[in-house]
Amino acid sequence: MALTRPDVDPHDGPAPTDLVTEDISVGDGAEATAGRTVEVHYVGVAHSSGEEFDASWNRGQTLRFPLGTGRVIAGWDQGVQGMKVGGRRRLVIPPHLGYGDRGAGAVIKPGETLIFVVDLVGVS
């Protein structure tokens, strides 16, 4: 089955203070565990505005990173663990597990809660 670019729905209610993970679909492939390299497609939006700030789909290429090693924001290191290849998960990441009070350039404001839909494409 070919992946399709997901829509990212806003988070209802106030921004959570802890990481929220919700499996949209559960995969049946290899499991993402700390120390393994994962390959993902994703779309990210800001909680406060609902505006998209980044998406691997726009570049037409996936993102690969070693899981649990601090190469990505903590919300990703924690939120992608346990996914299985073929799965799609929604992550709502509070600022302390994202970019915190510094934000990320002009794209993500300080103190922003982030919402991602992540597709796990591969694990090696």
Side-chain angles (χ1 to χ4, degrees), residues 38-49:
V38 296
E39 183 178 356
V40 299
H41 249 320
Y42 65 90
V43 176
V45 302
H47 174 265
S48 63
S49 66

Side-chain angles (χ1 to χ4, degrees), residues 3 30 66 75 96 108 117 119:
L3 285 175
H96 73 278
I108 299 171
V117 172
D119 293 303

Side-chain angles (χ1 to χ4, degrees), residues 6-70:
D7 291 323
V8 181
D9 296 324
H11 179 74
D12 293 330
T17 56
D18 292 316
L19 176 66
V20 175
T21 61
E22 173 191 349
D23 285 317
I24 296 168
S25 60
V26 177
D28 57 10
E31 185 173 340
T33 55
R36 297 187 76 183
T37 297
V38 296
E39 183 178 356
V40 299
H41 249 320
Y42 65 90
V43 176
V45 302
H47 174 265
S48 63
S49 66
E51 294 293 315
E52 180 181 307
F53 58 80
D54 190 21
S56 61
W57 294 92
N58 297 349
R59 294 184 291 281
Q61 72 181 62
T62 55
L63 172 68
R64 291 174 57 92
F65 63 94
L67 189 61
T69 62

Side-chain angles (χ1 to χ4, degrees), residues 19-23 26 30-40 65-85 87-91 93 118-120 122-123:
L19 176 66
V20 175
T21 61
E22 173 191 349
D23 285 317
V26 177
E31 185 173 340
T33 55
R36 297 187 76 183
T37 297
V38 296
E39 183 178 356
V40 299
F65 63 94
L67 189 61
T69 62
R71 294 276 184 89
V72 293
I73 59 175
W76 273 47
D77 266 344
Q78 294 173 27
V80 172
Q81 287 198 46
M83 286 184 75
K84 292 187 177 177
V85 171
R88 174 172 281 181
R89 184 175 281 177
R90 185 169 184 267
L91 306 176
I93 302 174
V118 178
D119 293 303
L120 185 60
V123 173

